[in-house]
Amino acid sequence: MIDYVDIIFGLTWGDEGKGKITNAIAENYDYVCRWNGGPNAGHTVYLNGEKYKTHIVPSGIFQNKLSIIGPSCVFHVDQLMEEIKYLSFCGFDMNLIKVSPKAHVITDKHIKYDEENLQGKFGTTGKGIAPCYSDKMLRIGTRASEVLTDFMIWDEKLKGRILCEGAQSVNLDIDHGDYPYVTSSSTMPYSACSLGFSPKKIRRLIGVAKAYDTRVGNDPLFPDSLWDIEELNLVIEEGKEYGSTTGRKRKANWLNLNRLLHSINISGTTEIIINKFDVIEKLGFFKLILDDNLIEFETAEEFKKYIQTFISDNSEIVQDNIIFSGDVENI
Ligand code: IMP
Ligand code: MG
């Protein structure tokens, strides 16, 4: 029997530090599951001072938890094997990594198509994500059951306490994001139910954002003129805003509070974590965008209070459950 399901997901444009949050709370669960996307994601986790990275394996592996790649995910066999080899070399238990028989396989042809047709146009990660999902929809895809050995295949029975780890974010969702500047999967927390549990089992919907916004990949909402703003360049450097999958430098902008509120309400967020607060605190930049206006605050406290009040007053479910980064013990 499933006791409950908690879901961690991105509220902005990815790269909010979801992996860090997953790692911080994974010990309290029996399974950690990915439900969407593929190796376009990059999850960075620090353990005992060491930095680890995964692209397809859920961050639960770092806490010795069964780590499931779900039926709506896509993966590349060689890249998965490479990642498993790396994790095993680092001392993690590769027997905990399981793949749904229904997950779809990214081929070299998918990657080539992505690189030749989509990478320039949309700034995709070039990992073959869209072509793979498109073959899935055309009913000509290959599934994990056809290419992986039995011991890696998940029996699709979840029980106990489940943590779902989102990849990408609400604004990159195929339906709710700014189409066509989106990824090709359903990043919304409701899609975690594709893992095979009732929506009634969902307990906490933990949305992750950052104290400022970043974007990697093409998006008219993030014009090139943002590169000219000196303070935002300082945020990029202080926040080490370089893509963990592609190494690309991310564009930064001040936190867009209207967008954040929309993401919170449309996803049913019950609690929010705002990461990287330490970055703006160190720089002393307390700015956000509301109704296309830039609002500046004198102190970190005023900035936090304003965000907290605005979200509490305007969101449907979140009350005072807003945590600013550094405070992971309280999640
Ligand atoms: P794709 O998922 O590689 O097709 O890329 C589509 C869009 O989503 C591009 O703008 C990518 O930069 C963006 N994207 C995909 N995965 C991530 C991620 O993990 N973090 C941030 N952006 C991502
Ligand atoms: Mg990432």
Side-chain angles (χ1 to χ4, degrees):
M1 202 187 81
I2 293 174
D3 296 328
Y4 51 77
V5 179
D6 292 343
I7 304 175
I8 293 173
F9 59 98
L11 286 167
T12 61
W13 288 269
D15 309 315
E16 300 96 345
K18 298 178 284 293
K20 169 184 159 177
I21 307 302
T22 305
N23 182 55
I25 64 173
E27 63 174 330
N28 306 320
Y29 298 85
D30 300 302
Y31 290 82
V32 178
C33 312
R34 277 272 304 265
W35 79 84
N36 77 294
N40 46 348
H43 297 177
T44 308
V45 162
Y46 286 85
L47 263 184
N48 308 320
E50 288 290 325
K51 180 179 178 177
Y52 300 101
K53 252 192 221 178
T54 59
H55 296 287
I56 183 68
V57 174
S59 311
I61 195 67
F62 301 114
Q63 297 295 333
N64 223 26
K65 300 294 172 179
L66 272 163
S67 298
I68 308 291
I69 297 165
S72 302
C73 292
V74 294
F75 72 102
H76 184 281
V77 178
D78 294 348
Q79 286 169 14
L80 173 64
M81 295 309 162
E82 273 298 304
E83 198 163 301
I84 290 174
K85 236 172 36 195
Y86 153 78
L87 290 166
S88 174
F89 177 78
C90 297
F92 301 104
D93 182 359
M94 57 183 260
N95 296 309
L96 295 168
I97 301 168
K98 302 283 176 201
V99 185
S100 163
K102 296 166 188 155
H104 273 253
V105 175
I106 301 169
T107 63
D108 293 340
K109 230 168 92 186
H110 293 147
I111 293 173
K112 190 161 183 275
Y113 186 93
D114 193 353
E115 285 172 348
E116 288 176 358
N117 300 284
L118 306 175
Q119 209 163 18
K121 191 170 169 190
F122 295 114
T124 68
T125 60
K127 300 291 176 187
I129 307 297
C132 181
Y133 277 114
S134 100
D135 276 357
K136 169 182 170 174
M137 293 305 173
L138 289 168
R139 269 63 62 82
I140 55 172
T142 304
R143 302 206 289 181
S145 56
E146 299 166 62
V147 296
L148 290 185
T149 54
D150 286 351
F151 78 94
M152 289 196 70
I153 294 287
W154 174 45
D155 68 3
E156 300 197 295
K157 293 186 192 95
L158 290 171
K159 43 185 186 300
R161 303 157 302 167
I162 318 298
L163 181 62
C164 299
E165 180 183 34
Q168 294 86 42
S169 58
V170 170
N171 293 329
L172 294 175
D173 181 80
I174 185 72
D175 299 308
H176 292 284
D178 298 305
Y179 190 91
Y181 306 102
V182 294
T183 190
S184 304
S185 69
S186 184
T187 64
M188 296 289 283
Y190 59 71
S191 287
C193 294
S194 63
L195 284 155
F197 55 79
S198 160
K200 282 189 171 178
K201 292 286 182 185
I202 299 173
R203 190 181 65 156
R204 302 168 68 184
L205 290 133
I206 305 167
V208 188
K210 275 195 295 212
Y212 49 90
D213 288 332
T214 58
R215 178 68 157 111
V216 63
N218 305 359
D219 191 331
L221 270 174
F222 287 75
D224 280 345
S225 55
L226 288 170
W227 293 127
D228 302 334
I229 301 175
E230 199 42 49
E231 288 185 344
L232 289 172
N233 283 315
L234 294 173
V235 169
I236 291 168
E237 294 312 317
E238 183 62 34
K240 301 188 182 64
E241 296 296 345
Y242 292 86
S244 61
T245 296
T246 57
R248 288 180 292 177
K249 188 172 171 171
R250 299 170 185 146
K251 268 181 192 159
N253 202 353
W254 309 113
L255 177 70
N256 186 319
L257 207 47
N258 305 92
R259 295 290 304 219
L260 181 62
L261 180 69
H262 176 72
S263 292
I264 288 166
N265 282 332
I266 203 168
S267 61
T269 302
T270 62
E271 43 214 293
I272 302 164
I273 295 168
I274 301 187
N275 269 330
K276 292 216 169 163
F277 200 80
D278 50 335
V279 171
I280 57 161
E281 209 156 24
K282 178 151 182 215
L283 295 168
F285 301 153
F286 306 112
K287 304 184 186 201
L288 55 80
I289 296 168
L290 185 70
D291 302 331
D292 293 327
N293 297 315
L294 186 67
I295 309 184
E296 273 187 70
F297 301 85
E298 288 290 313
T299 66
E301 285 321 306
E302 283 173 42
F303 182 71
K304 285 184 187 178
K305 183 109 195 54
Y306 190 91
I307 295 171
Q308 231 143 8
T309 308
F310 180 81
I311 292 175
S312 300
D313 288 353
N314 295 291
S315 68
E316 289 164 16
I317 302 177
V318 181
Q319 295 300 321
D320 297 319
N321 303 324
I322 304 173
I323 291 175
F324 292 89
S325 64
D327 218 7
V328 280
E329 314 80 61
N330 296 331
I331 299 164

